[in-house]
Amino acid sequence: MAAGGGGVARRLGPLVGVALAIAAGAALRLIFPTDIEWKADEQWSYLHAAQMLRTGAWPPVGMPSSVGAPNPGLSLWVFAGLDRLFDVRSPPDLARAVAMLNIAALVAFAAFAVTRKNREPWLWAVALWAVNPVAIILERKIWPPSTLPLAAVALYWAWTLRRRWPAAFVWGALGALMAQVHMGVALLALALAAWTFASDGRAFPWRAWLAGSLAGVLPAIPWLLAMAGHGAGARIHLTAPSVSFYMRWATQFLGYGAQYTLGKAGFADFLAGPRIAGLATHLLGALQAVLIILAIVALVRGARTLVGKGGALPVRTLLLGDSDETVLITAALWGYGGLLTLTTFVGAGSYRHYMIVITPIMALWTAMAVLWSDGGWKRGRARAILAALCVGQAALSLGLLDYLHREGGVRGEFGVSWRAQQPGYVAPDRQRRTGSATRSSASAPFSHARNSGVCNRRSA
């Protein structure tokens, strides 16, 4: 009886842990709902989605991209759909709809993980993704790539079933549709197809995949016609390449990335917190240091395991993969990452939000790397490291959201929150430190980012 009870505990324990991680991730995506990014791009998507619903017109193009050419219309239509589905009445409502979509992505990824034969690394990937600070910030944002995680999970699920004609069709269709929300996904679709063919061409029903891809392209026809009619094109100029993709890949799920959101000055101030009675405790700095130490420990353990195995892995495994997990990882790492890096030669950017669609794969890579350092899947030290990474990142995420709530604005990527751009707002911490009694004195350093005239389009 006891043995049977222990077996049940061993089977249900990981699922309970994942459920707790998803619950924490959901809460972190939904708390402080008015503390959302509210810069020109977010305002554009919000207002144009409202206009689309009001007029009934389906614009063929979306927001201008970073390379000059406008995005396809689907990048805007998706927000109009969320607007209608969630009865959006303000920017926080639309950001909450995006967050709900991404909570559904976590649940779907957990359901997918349970179906895997070797499910432990997948379950750890769910937990790591759920509480990661960078993922949480990007997944509560009115931004086209932020709407893609659920579609990405569906794409990877269909890919694992690709030997069946309908699944291969869905895989192709989803890749084409996602590329119309964010054009960079076209590179991921190309990389995944190439790696699949190279690793096991006989298991790649390319006709079904191609048929799905062509079907998925159909909504882009108005965009293609608009591009041809207006002669729009990308701005191309030669420049030095960037390897930022690989730096982010290696560090994001080890708890490093809040500096992207906050900027250098804001990150330093964040690490000094939380502040109690105006005094810096540096507890968040200590937490960040612990996460760095855990990363170093995992790296050292991995190096020792590699030496114990002869100092090298098969080249095919490293470059192409030898299982569903490693093919996905190598396609994202070398295929998608390599193509994004190549585009930086001609002036395109390789931005952090381009990695939203591969967030679950990056989390899987982190989990597999740490578990592999134990030389197998059933030893406890790797699990302890992964559990500590999950708990530490959850705490860091909460601290990050609380800091943004208290400050109202930063000079980093996040900018000034929607709440801080409303009339009469004074950041509590900034008022206490400076003695300010008015919004203008409290937020003067960020006044360039204000746009308080956009707050409730349905009441206007």
Side-chain angles (χ1 to χ4, degrees), residues 137 170 193 247 297 324 421:
I137 292 295
V170 171
M247 296 174 63
V297 169
D324 276 355
Q421 294 185 47

Side-chain angles (χ1 to χ4, degrees), residues 92 113 133 142 146 188 205-206 261 272 319 324 362 366 388 404 411 424 449:
I142 304 171
S146 299
L188 175 62
W206 64 269
T261 298
L319 297 182
D324 276 355
M362 293 163 60
T366 303
L404 291 168
R411 293 191 180 278

Side-chain angles (χ1 to χ4, degrees), residues 24-233:
L28 290 166
R29 284 163 175 79
L30 294 174
I31 61 172
F32 304 131
T34 59
D35 294 296
I36 59 169
E37 294 184 51
W38 190 236
K39 302 188 294 295
D41 289 345
E42 291 81 14
Q43 294 169 19
W44 192 98
S45 295
Y46 176 80
L47 292 174
H48 281 77
Q51 183 180 25
M52 180 176 169
L53 290 178
R54 186 171 61 252
T55 63
W58 289 58
V61 300
M63 187 167 51
S65 70
S66 59
V67 296
N71 286 286
L74 190 58
S75 63
L76 174 61
W77 304 346
V78 67
F79 286 113
L82 289 173
D83 189 314
R84 180 62 58 83
L85 182 63
F86 287 89
D87 190 26
V88 167
R89 297 180 179 273
S90 68
D93 287 345
L94 186 54
R96 187 183 300 112
V98 173
M100 292 295 293
L101 194 67
N102 292 319
I103 292 168
L106 289 172
V107 175
F109 192 48
F112 171 54
V114 171
T115 68
R116 307 305 300 157
K117 182 178 180 181
N118 182 26
R119 70 181 189 177
E120 180 170 359
W122 291 95
L123 291 174
W124 280 116
V126 177
L128 287 167
W129 176 13
V131 298
N132 180 254
V134 174
I136 287 167
I137 292 295
L138 291 176
E139 290 173 20
R140 33 185 287 151
K141 179 178 169 71
I142 304 171
W143 182 246
S146 299
T147 66
L148 289 176
L150 182 59
V153 171
L155 183 147
Y156 299 136
W157 202 332
W159 178 85
T160 62
L161 302 172
R162 63 193 176 278
R163 290 169 179 80
R164 305 172 187 174
W165 199 96
F169 181 91
V170 171
W171 162 28
L174 282 172
L177 290 169
M178 290 168 63
Q180 295 167 59
V181 177
H182 181 242
M183 290 188 289
V185 180
L187 301 179
L188 175 62
L190 177 62
L192 186 55
W195 256 250
T196 303
F197 181 78
S199 62
D200 189 1
R202 290 175 296 181
F204 179 17
W206 64 269
R207 291 181 179 84
W209 172 82
L210 182 60
S213 300
L214 292 174
V217 167
L218 292 178
I221 291 176
W223 172 71
L224 293 170
L225 293 175
M227 292 280 288
H230 291 84

Side-chain angles (χ1 to χ4, degrees), residues 339-364:
L339 289 172
L340 281 177
T341 301
L342 285 175
T343 64
T344 64
F345 277 98
V346 292
S350 178
Y351 303 110
R352 189 176 288 273
H353 60 264
Y354 287 17
M355 306 179 80
I356 291 175
V357 291
I358 59 168
T359 295
I361 298 179
M362 293 163 60
L364 176 66

